[in-house]
Amino acid sequence: MNPPPAQDSQVNGEKQYDVWGQTLTETAAESAGLTPHNGAVAIDEKLLKLGRDTLYKETFSNEVFLTDIMGIVDGPFTITNMAKAIVQLKGAGTTNLQVELAEDVTLGDRSYKKGEKVDTGIDVPKGVYAPLGMPVKFSRGQLRVGISCMACHATVDPDTKMVIEGAPNADLNAGLLMALATNSAAYFTHTDVENVTKYIKDVNRTVVTSTGGASALPDPAELEKAVDANLVKWPKGNFDSTIDMKSNPAQIPDSFTKDGHPYGWSGFAAAGPFHGLSAFSNNVHAQNSDSLAQVEASEALFGMEREVYLGTLLQNAPNPAFRYAPASGLKPSEFFAKADPNPGTPGVNEMIKPPSFPKLTMMAPDGLFISSPGFKVGEQVNAMAAYQNTIIPPRGTSATDATTLQQGERVFQRAQCLSCHSGAAFTNHRVVSAETIGTEPSRAKALKKTEYLFGAASIYSPDTPVPVPPGAKVLQVPTAHLDPAQIKLAYAHGDSPGGYKVKGLLGLRWTAPYLHDGGVAAGSDPSQLGIPGTLAKGILPDPANSLKALVDRDLRRNVVDANKREPELARVHAAGIGHEYWVDQSAGFTKSEQDALIQYLLSLQGQWAEQRSANK
């Protein structure tokens, strides 16, 4: 049973509609003749309930990829040992489920022993005997584990062990969990394994390509070692959601989304319902939990012929039904078609081909669109977006006096933070060039290759059933209102260096560490600096001290130095550099003013929060 939301999340008053990001009342929508046929999405109690249920429970069948193809619970990390660890909690809950390994394993330069407990970062709420956001399902005679949104975008409060919806899981050890999989090589495009040909050991171990030729596959064991060695370097709380064959894990974002558009670390999700939030939610499942979804785009994005790409992903799958054998003489696509649970669409997740397929678009940056049979097109992602926009960051347990908060607000204004962090969500909705903000440049270019397949955004009408019937109504997604220069920055297209979206500031109390790479981290003790001094040691960053490291140049220098002393962080581009806007003594601010600013920042909930609370 899922825990209740951390905040009241019901919408009161007249029903509302979202029309390509514009919110209208029911009266206004009816007066304008707006219906699902022209993109109107009704925001009502039914949609919000579906959104919450989807966020917590829906995997879109990604357990097939994770379990049958990737083998995430087929190696040292097992469902049995995870269940054992949960039972041992006796209902107490935890922010970091420690699980015994079922066998010895070496990942990179680190060896683990059977029986050794590892930090997973998996959250278990108090009184619940199931991992948060990780549904375990029994199907076709086997237990399978999948991932829902709340495995990453909710967390357990360290003090109360209750769920904080919308807060990122700051210590989720996603890199380690995937490295422990038996076929983590199926996720190689998210790592720094740029050229798989270097792992070819047997030139006669070939696949038949789409043109009838023959091409060798990389050695599965050698490729697995290389991918594992990179995945274990990902900092806790970080995840690489891009497929540029560079290791660019970014901090898991929060879901305090109202008025925080555009979405994504670069602001790439800006078009479509809810100001692009639906497109962002779609991207998570259409790309990040099913590598097979990119088969059609593999040549443009990875320089790999599609049969070679598919064969590389499947050659070491733990489930024989999905394990491709080059000696079979079949093309990988012919073999996969026999086991494909979602025929007619690339990948194994529950997806549809939008009208724009195989083009990549602002509505579907990965080319596909998540929608389960029995629902309407986009119904689930629209529901998730609607529900996320109701989540209010909880207040902290310690109260700050009004005088300090007022002083902090004055400092915020005097330091000119409002030049970027303005409006209801404290963002100006802009994307800033990586060269201007000075943050890690590698991640800013992660979407550059999408321009090779980019096209105009279109989607089926929201009242279209899934599976999509012939002749379904097609809608062109409005993008003319968006600044072309901003889109170019968000996707690093053309000669653009790429950029980073101006982050909203709501819920900072729950989102430490800071910056897109999560590199600005400081613990409660002065010696706990950077990722090595906090998350790498199982210590959650302290929000106030981490914010101080963000605005104090001396402390930031120490944090960056701590990060740079760890070679593994350099390989995954996590340093905590950039955003050099100081509120310290050298900038003319006293320690008292700096402290007041930090307390003010930690108090921000959104300008609508008090009004919504009053409407309960």
Side-chain angles (χ1 to χ4, degrees):
M1 181 177 178
N2 289 323
Q7 298 286 322
D8 183 277
S9 54
Q10 303 303 309
V11 173
N12 296 289
E14 188 178 14
K15 181 191 293 184
Q16 294 182 326
Y17 284 83
D18 180 274
V19 186
W20 304 123
Q22 181 183 8
T23 301
L24 300 176
T25 64
E26 185 174 18
T27 301
E30 289 178 351
S31 299
L34 297 173
T35 69
H37 282 298
N38 49 33
V41 177
I43 307 172
D44 53 19
E45 298 297 335
K46 179 180 178 182
L47 189 75
L48 292 174
K49 182 181 185 304
L50 174 62
R52 184 182 187 278
D53 288 345
T54 303
L55 286 164
Y56 274 102
K57 302 175 183 178
E58 185 58 70
T59 65
F60 297 100
S61 291
N62 63 37
E63 61 271 6
V64 176
F65 176 79
L66 293 173
T67 304
D68 295 85
I69 295 173
M70 193 176 192
I72 199 163
V73 290
D74 195 61
F77 178 76
T78 66
I79 292 179
T80 300
N81 282 4
M82 179 172 67
K84 176 183 175 182
I86 293 174
V87 169
Q88 289 175 343
L89 293 173
K90 298 180 179 179
T94 182
T95 64
N96 173 31
L97 186 67
Q98 294 184 313
V99 178
E100 290 182 2
L101 297 181
E103 58 189 65
D104 295 349
V105 65
T106 296
L107 307 171
D109 57 4
R110 171 75 191 274
S111 293
Y112 300 82
K113 294 295 184 180
K114 177 181 178 180
E116 180 178 350
K117 289 187 176 182
V118 296
D119 293 335
T120 68
I122 294 172
D123 286 9
V124 181
K126 183 178 181 179
V128 177
Y129 284 80
L132 180 63
M134 292 184 66
V136 177
K137 302 180 181 181
F138 184 82
S139 62
R140 291 174 289 180
Q142 181 181 349
L143 283 173
R144 291 176 170 84
V145 63
I147 297 290
S148 75
C149 295
M150 288 313 203
C152 294
H153 304 290
T155 194
V156 166
D157 181 7
D159 297 324
T160 66
K161 301 301 188 295
M162 301 300 289
V163 174
I164 304 297
E165 289 189 340
N169 188 343
D171 61 350
L172 181 65
N173 208 349
L176 175 63
L177 290 173
M178 289 191 293
L180 290 170
T182 56
N183 186 31
S184 53
Y187 217 66
F188 79 94
T189 59
H190 296 257
T191 69
D192 60 2
V193 178
E194 294 186 57
N195 184 4
V196 298
T197 60
K198 66 189 288 187
Y199 302 102
I200 294 174
K201 300 298 181 183
D202 183 356
V203 296
N204 295 315
R205 189 172 175 275
T206 62
V207 298
V208 179
T209 66
S210 300
T211 58
S215 186
L217 289 179
D219 181 83
E222 293 299 315
L223 181 59
E224 184 74 14
K225 288 179 183 178
V227 172
D228 289 346
N230 183 251
L231 287 173
V232 293
K233 298 184 189 314
W234 289 10
K236 296 174 183 176
N238 279 30
F239 189 87
D240 192 323
S241 62
T242 59
I243 49 176
D244 59 343
M245 300 175 82
K246 297 277 196 304
S247 194
N248 287 314
Q251 187 185 18
I252 294 170
D254 63 73
S255 289
F256 306 131
T257 55
K258 184 172 174 58
D259 290 335
H261 56 280
Y263 299 99
W265 50 269
S266 74
F268 68 87
F274 300 95
H275 288 293
L277 185 53
S278 294
F280 182 62
S281 297
N282 171 66
N283 187 74
V284 171
H285 287 284
Q287 174 171 292
N288 295 340
S289 62
D290 183 2
S291 300
L292 282 78
Q294 281 74 57
V295 168
E296 297 290 340
S298 60
E299 191 143 6
L301 297 181
F302 319 129
M304 295 180 68
E305 198 275 336
R306 55 172 294 167
E307 298 291 348
V308 176
Y309 176 69
L310 186 56
T312 299
L313 300 185
L314 297 178
Q315 63 179 340
N316 196 35
N319 187 334
F322 291 93
R323 188 186 311 137
Y324 172 71
S328 68
L330 294 172
K331 292 180 180 178
S333 58
E334 294 171 339
F335 166 78
F336 176 64
K338 297 179 180 181
D340 188 357
N342 189 28
T345 302
V348 293
N349 282 2
E350 294 172 347
M351 298 180 280
I352 64 167
K353 294 178 180 178
S356 51
F357 183 84
K359 292 292 187 180
L360 313 181
T361 73
M362 293 193 68
M363 186 70 178
D366 32 46
L368 296 163
F369 208 77
I370 285 290
S371 289
S372 298
F375 289 89
K376 303 292 176 50
V377 168
E379 182 178 5
Q380 292 148 298
V381 292
N382 289 333
M384 287 191 286
Y387 184 79
Q388 286 177 85
N389 279 344
T390 70
I391 300 175
I392 300 172
R395 293 193 184 278
T397 54
S398 58
T400 303
D401 65 274
T403 301
T404 298
L405 295 180
Q406 291 168 1
Q407 182 187 23
E409 184 175 16
R410 290 194 297 270
V411 173
F412 186 80
Q413 296 169 349
R414 179 181 150 203
Q416 300 183 37
C417 303
L418 282 168
S419 61
C420 289
H421 297 286
S422 57
F426 296 89
T427 174
N428 60 5
H429 313 295
R430 302 289 291 175
V431 180
V432 181
S433 166
E435 294 176 345
T436 300
I437 200 67
T439 315
E440 166 57 49
S442 176
R443 188 174 294 104
K445 301 175 183 178
L447 300 175
K448 182 171 285 293
K449 287 186 178 180
T450 60
E451 66 182 317
Y452 301 145
L453 289 173
F454 221 65
S458 61
I459 192 65
Y460 295 108
S461 169
D463 58 355
T464 303
V466 179
V468 177
K473 183 178 179 62
V474 175
L475 302 178
Q476 301 305 311
V477 179
T479 58
H481 62 292
L482 301 173
D483 182 349
Q486 286 281 286
I487 297 172
K488 186 177 178 181
L489 266 180
Y491 285 88
H493 285 178
D495 59 357
S496 169
Y500 294 93
K501 186 200 78 170
V502 173
K503 178 75 175 66
L505 302 183
L506 303 185
L508 288 176
R509 183 178 296 277
W510 308 101
T511 59
Y514 304 112
L515 291 192
H516 292 90
D517 63 2
V520 182
S524 56
D525 187 277
S527 65
Q528 298 166 346
L529 296 177
I531 295 171
T534 54
L535 290 167
K537 293 182 177 180
I539 299 170
L540 288 173
D542 178 79
N545 289 340
S546 297
L547 276 178
K548 184 176 181 180
L550 187 68
V551 301
D552 188 294
R553 73 193 76 197
D554 293 333
L555 184 53
R556 175 80 78 85
R557 188 181 303 114
N558 293 337
V559 164
V560 171
D561 287 346
N563 289 332
K564 288 185 174 180
R565 284 194 294 270
E566 178 49 69
E568 292 187 350
L569 293 177
R571 186 173 171 183
V572 296
H573 305 285
I577 61 173
H579 193 275
E580 296 184 351
Y581 305 108
W582 311 117
V583 181
D584 55 16
Q585 289 186 344
S586 297
F589 295 91
T590 65
K591 182 181 183 304
S592 174
E593 289 173 322
Q594 185 186 75
D595 290 342
L597 171 67
I598 291 169
Q599 292 306 311
Y600 169 72
L601 292 173
L602 291 175
S603 75
L604 299 179
Q605 286 188 293
Q607 296 174 6
W608 57 84
E610 296 299 335
Q611 179 181 358
R612 185 176 295 165
S613 297
N615 289 335
K616 289 183 181 180

